Amino acid sequence: MSASRSILLIIGGGIAAYKCLELIRRLKDRGISSRVILTKAGEQFVTPLSVSALAGERCFTDLFSLTDEADIGHIALSRSTDLLVVAPATADLIAKMATGQANDLATTALLATDKRVLIAPAMNPRMWEHAATRRNMAQLERDGVLVVGPNSGAMAERGENGPGRMAEPMEILAAIEQALSSQVPPRAIGFLGRLPGGSAAAKPLAGKRVLITSGPTHEPIDPVRFIANRSSGKQGHAIAAAAAAAGAQVTLVSGPVTVPDPAGLTTIHVESAREMLAAVEGALPADIAIFAAAVADWRVADAAPEKMKKDGGALPALSLVENPDILATVAALKTGRPAVVVGFAAETEHVVAHAQAKLARKGCDLIVANDVGGTGVMGGESNTVHLVSRDGVETWPTLPKTEVASRLVAHLAGLATP
Ligand code: C5P
């Protein structure tokens, strides 16, 4: 990876501006330097001081600053970079870009540049869906502007819900990596949020094969009875759907669940842990493997071939043997190991410490740990997770499982980008 990649980040005036601080940090981790223009409205949300501290150099704020012009003129500023990134791209900035206005440093740089431009729109859903914004976005698409997001969900304004949330820093990072990649033709990245015009989605996992296990396993006692657990498959299925939406070629190996098969991917249905292992081995190779299934640790040693009868005699004794560990088996593959192997850990206490131990024991790259101690996570709609890797621990707030899925996919897209 080249260390000399750089972007010019234009931070617009929206509540999502704070996410740019995280973005700058993540970019630095990936060896991408950022020079920042903060718009007047952007200054209402983040300070030049915090931006400069993270970017490692003074940020630019004023078109007519003589010092800035002496240092580096606004024309040079817009060209001495590999990519311009506008985040948050407000309705106002988008309108100015679409009509070619140049009345401040940000819009002047956008008009003067000879580099590609990626925008991360963020606004109220009604503003996003307004005919004027639709027209402006269509114009930017014709102009070859790249777009990541927006995502759908709750807005900062109470009670507002819908498309308009700025893409997460890891999603923007993945889109930046994709745009900077020399193989990507200038117009290959499209819209992550679907526009009424039906533009293609930004696909941070395009070309990647993703394998996911989900749901419980059923371990037969006899043909009609089995040992099971409370896993619903909601989280694993949501991850599979999010990976498919991100452009991956997805194989989902699902235990018995009542949630429907997600669209746009291949689902293989299995019952037992051994069937799940066979299906996983058959579905390899993959670039990313995510083991979200709650695989039964044990199975009945000699499942009865016929239904066991209650004959009034001695109670049947179930003798158990250990199931194969699918995650550990795949993580230990000498050849054909997926580049990123992710495990899950459902814990009731010492969640992070146990996840760290599990990371080492299973030989995977990331553990998504959640506290299932009386929280109704299994079968519930939301999840509180910690991402535990050898680099440290990232704790997310309690989120709907669909949101955990899209954030995890964005995170993995960041890791899997070459
Ligand atoms: O050891 P534990 O069951 O807590 O580990 C959980 C992680 O290991 C999950 O990612 C789960 O899908 C995976 N696992 C597996 N095969 C097993 C047991 C667990 O793939 N037999």
Side-chain angles (χ1 to χ4, degrees), residues 213-215 217 219 273 276-277 280 290-298 322-330 342-347 354 358 361-362 364 366-368:
T213 67
S214 179
T217 62
E219 307 300 328
M276 188 171 274
L277 176 61
V280 162
I290 304 165
F291 295 93
V295 183
D297 290 319
W298 307 284
E322 204 164 316
N323 266 330
D325 191 313
I326 305 168
L327 165 63
T329 305
V330 172
V342 182
F344 273 66
E347 304 288 351
H354 284 166
K358 195 161 291 182
R361 197 167 66 246
K362 305 251 185 182
C364 55
L366 181 72
I367 288 275
V368 181

Side-chain angles (χ1 to χ4, degrees), residues 1-7 27-34 82 177 180:
M1 190 187 305
S2 149
S4 61
R5 296 176 306 165
S6 71
I7 65 153
L27 284 162
K28 209 183 240 177
D29 290 347
R30 308 287 299 189
I32 302 169
S33 62
S34 20
D82 298 312
E177 292 266 21
L180 289 176

Side-chain angles (χ1 to χ4, degrees), residues 218-222 225-227 274 296-304 308 317-323:
H218 285 183
E219 307 300 328
I221 296 170
D222 67 18
R225 302 182 180 94
F226 54 81
I227 299 175
R274 286 188 295 177
D297 290 319
W298 307 284
R299 67 176 182 276
V300 177
D302 295 304
M308 290 160 66
L318 296 182
S319 106
L320 302 177
V321 289
E322 204 164 316
N323 266 330

Side-chain angles (χ1 to χ4, degrees), residues 45-388:
F45 296 92
V46 291
T47 67
L49 194 62
S50 50
V51 169
S52 308
L54 283 165
E57 67 170 285
R58 181 168 64 93
C59 80
F60 296 81
T61 52
D62 188 353
L63 177 58
F64 299 107
S65 158
L66 287 176
T67 8
D68 292 353
E69 279 299 318
D71 280 356
I72 175 169
H74 62 273
I75 304 286
L77 185 62
S78 74
R79 297 187 188 164
S80 59
T81 183
D82 298 312
L83 177 75
L84 271 68
V85 179
V86 185
T90 58
D92 177 60
L93 269 172
I94 287 170
K96 285 179 172 156
M97 287 175 72
T99 49
Q101 293 180 48
N103 55 2
D104 63 5
L105 181 57
T107 48
T108 305
L110 283 160
L111 203 61
T113 190
D114 57 357
K115 297 298 187 310
R116 288 189 300 178
V117 178
L118 169 73
I119 66 171
M123 68 196 73
N124 173 277
R126 288 204 177 210
M127 293 168 77
W128 174 246
E129 278 158 4
H130 193 283
T133 308
R134 303 287 93 239
R135 275 196 307 276
N136 292 334
M137 288 299 297
Q139 182 59 51
L140 292 188
E141 190 184 11
R142 281 193 292 278
D143 295 345
V145 169
L146 311 173
V147 184
V148 56
N151 294 337
S152 277
M155 308 300 295
E157 301 92 344
R158 190 156 11 148
E160 294 274 359
N161 216 299
R165 280 167 59 118
M166 190 171 86
E168 294 303 319
M170 293 304 283
E171 290 171 309
I172 301 174
L173 176 63
I176 290 171
E177 292 266 21
Q178 208 179 341
L180 289 176
S181 141
S182 53
Q183 298 90 6
V184 181
R187 301 196 54 159
I189 301 178
F191 293 82
L192 187 64
R194 281 205 170 265
L195 290 173
S199 310
K203 307 288 189 190
L205 286 181
K208 302 283 181 206
R209 290 156 305 175
V210 176
L211 170 61
I212 301 171
T213 67
S214 179
T217 62
H218 285 183
E219 307 300 328
I221 296 170
D222 67 18
V224 298
R225 302 182 180 94
F226 54 81
I227 299 175
N229 62 61
R230 294 187 193 282
S231 169
S232 64
K234 283 179 188 161
Q235 186 62 83
H237 279 53
I239 295 166
Q249 187 189 319
V250 179
T251 303
L252 172 65
V253 179
S254 172
V257 292
T258 54
V259 288
D261 292 353
L265 52 89
T266 304
T267 304
I268 302 172
H269 296 274
V270 298
E271 295 257 327
S272 67
R274 286 188 295 177
E275 286 170 15
M276 188 171 274
L277 176 61
V280 162
E281 286 173 337
L284 288 172
D287 300 293
I288 300 173
I290 304 165
F291 295 93
V295 183
D297 290 319
W298 307 284
R299 67 176 182 276
V300 177
D302 295 304
E306 305 298 338
K307 186 181 173 199
M308 290 160 66
K309 292 287 177 212
K310 194 165 57 172
D311 55 12
L315 292 175
L318 296 182
S319 106
L320 302 177
V321 289
E322 204 164 316
N323 266 330
D325 191 313
I326 305 168
L327 165 63
T329 305
V330 172
L333 286 176
K334 291 278 177 286
T335 52
R337 182 192 190 276
V340 181
V341 177
V342 182
F344 273 66
E347 304 288 351
T348 54
E349 57 175 356
H350 309 303
V351 178
V352 169
H354 284 166
Q356 279 162 335
K358 195 161 291 182
L359 184 78
R361 197 167 66 246
K362 305 251 185 182
C364 55
D365 307 300
L366 181 72
I367 288 275
V368 181
N370 49 15
D371 189 338
V372 293
T375 56
V377 164
M378 279 199 155
E381 298 299 332
S382 58
N383 215 347
T384 316
V385 307
H386 312 268
L387 261 54
V388 179

